[in-house]
Structures are given as structure tokens and as C-alpha cells.
Amino acid sequence: MADLPPYTTPRWVKVLGIIALVLVLLLAILHLTGVGNLGPGRHMPSGHAGDGSPVSMTVGHGSPIAHADHQPWL
Amino acid sequence: MTSGIRKFALSVHVTFSVGWIGAVVAYLALGISAVTMQDTQTVRAAWIAMDLIGWLAIVPLAIAALLTGLVMSLGTRWGLFRHYWVLISLVLTIVSTVVLLLHMPTVSMLADMAQAANGAHLAALGGDLFHPGVGLAVLLVIMALNVYKPRGLTRYGWRKQHEQRTVSQP
């Protein structure tokens, strides 16, 4: 037992972790500064889509078969 | 797991995983069309197709890839938490699947809107490039990890390996 080398995390895991951390921080900054509204429908009036809210949960969509007739902004 | 079953399970897992990547590429192509094309019918068709590809191809393939990946790791010597490349692949696959499932309802809503929208409103829908773009990048990272299988035991795997050596060499 005594001749076991101490456990070390592989270097590639550390590098990958740092890259992932930087990317997550970058996305968080973009999101907080308002530049980060990167989802679909971002050009639409606020509250319709792309704001990160589960819009379809409230309007009853969620499958390709369910095509409701409502047209919220027409 | 016997060699024959293992090879079959691996084939199924690779099929679902590569299929997932292919379906995302197809979705991305439609997303680019929705942004760049001027023709109203083309943009409308792109959104409808994105909705269908998302729910009928990408979501099933993602879930299938995740489940077959679990079977492969638990049924072979790799284990689920012993090697970093398996653990990171698992985490990235779960995150990708969850984001996909949270994102698809929005795509469905926009596809519904696109069916009724006229030119100006249709242009306001924009496209959906960020999610599939990042998703594709993550899937390629997972694929690279699975192909190269970089060395590196987790602390749990390191301890288990030490325990096995201790048992085999009393």
C-alpha cells in the first residue's frame, strides 16, 4: 500500500475543465449583458420566445402533431 | 457481456450516436435556410421540418444514445465512473439531452407561428443556430473522447483498481 503513487488528476482533464469553465463563464456574461439572447425568435417582441422561458409549456405545444390555431401576435 | 453481445450493443450505440450527429447537422442546415432564405414558403417549410426532425429524429436518437451508452459502460470493463473519458461523455450526453428536451417546445411553438406568419413576421422568427451549433460541437467532443479514449482514472476508478490488485496479490 505504501508504494502506491499519490492520485493525480490527468492533465487533459484539467485542461478540458478549464476550457469548459471559460466557455460557461463567457455564456453567462453574454446572457447577463443582454447580448446572449441567442435562441430562436430573438427578434420577436419580448415574451414570445427566445427568452429562456418555457413558453410552450404554457401554451400547450410540445409535439409536432400539436399545431394549435392561436396566433398571439397577428 | 459476451463478445457477440458486446459487439452488437456497440454497433447499436454507435448507430444511435452517429445518427444523432447526422440529425443535428440536418437540423442546422434547415436552421441556416430559415435565416438566409428569402422565400416565405421555404422559411415556413424549414421551421416545420426543424420541428419534425427535432421531435422524431434528434430526441429519440439522443435518448437511445444515452441509454445504449449506459448499457455499454456498465456491461463492459470500462464502468461508468472509473475512467474520465466515460464520465465526461456521460455528463455531456445528459446535459445535451436535457437542454434538447427543454429547447424543443420552443421550436414547436415557433414552427406553429411560422405556419401562420406572413413575410415580415416570418423574418422576425430568425433562426435557430446557437443551440444546434453548440450541440454539434459538444457531440463532436463526445465522439472524440469515445474514439481516442484518453487515459486517466477517476479517484473512484483508481481506488477500485488498487483494491483489485490487493485482492489478486495478497
Side-chain angles (χ1 to χ4, degrees):
Chain A
M1 270 202 195
D3 58 347
L4 266 180
Y7 175 79
T8 52
T9 307
R11 187 181 294 168
W12 71 267
V13 176
K14 291 176 184 170
V15 171
L16 207 64
I18 291 168
I19 292 171
L21 196 67
V22 168
L23 288 176
V24 168
L25 283 174
L26 195 67
L27 284 177
I29 289 167
L30 285 174
H31 188 72
L32 289 173
T33 53
V35 185
N37 190 2
L38 301 164
R42 59 186 172 277
H43 302 301
M44 292 167 58
S46 61
H48 285 299
D51 55 357
S53 58
V55 183
S56 60
M57 302 286 184
T58 58
V59 295
H61 296 279
S63 81
I65 300 140
H67 294 300
D69 293 331
H70 83 287
Q71 299 167 21
W73 38 262
L74 290 180
Chain B
M1 202 184 276
T2 64
S3 174
I5 293 174
R6 188 181 58 78
K7 281 182 182 173
F8 175 74
L10 179 62
S11 303
V12 172
H13 177 59
V14 170
T15 302
F16 286 139
S17 303
V18 175
W20 185 5
I21 293 174
V24 172
V25 170
Y27 183 96
L28 202 51
L30 291 166
I32 291 169
S33 301
V35 175
T36 57
M37 294 289 181
Q38 302 295 322
D39 179 54
T40 304
Q41 286 193 340
T42 305
V43 175
R44 193 173 286 141
W47 272 107
I48 295 167
M50 283 156 70
D51 187 33
L52 290 170
I53 285 183
W55 283 112
L56 301 180
I58 299 177
V59 168
L61 285 167
I63 293 169
L66 176 60
L67 294 178
T68 52
L70 286 172
V71 170
M72 282 306 299
S73 54
L74 291 173
T76 61
R77 67 185 172 86
W78 293 107
L80 201 53
F81 305 110
R82 293 186 180 206
H83 297 265
Y84 271 112
W85 73 267
V86 178
L87 184 62
I88 294 171
S89 298
L90 172 70
V91 170
L92 290 177
T93 305
I94 290 173
V95 169
S96 301
T97 306
V98 169
V99 171
L100 171 68
L101 291 172
L102 291 174
H103 180 62
M104 276 312 297
T106 305
V107 175
S108 290
M109 190 198 70
L110 290 167
D112 284 344
M113 287 181 172
Q115 287 189 68
N118 58 23
H121 286 119
L122 207 54
L125 291 177
D128 186 20
L129 302 179
F130 177 75
H131 286 88
V134 173
L136 182 61
V138 171
L139 292 179
L140 292 177
V141 169
I142 296 171
M143 189 192 70
L145 284 173
N146 279 259
V147 170
Y148 286 98
K149 297 179 176 59
R151 283 171 170 270
L153 291 169
T154 61
R155 194 175 290 275
Y156 168 77
W158 184 80
R159 198 173 61 240
K160 283 285 177 189
Q161 192 181 62
H162 171 60
E163 284 172 6
Q164 284 172 356
R165 279 182 187 167
T166 309
V167 170
S168 62
Q169 297 171 355

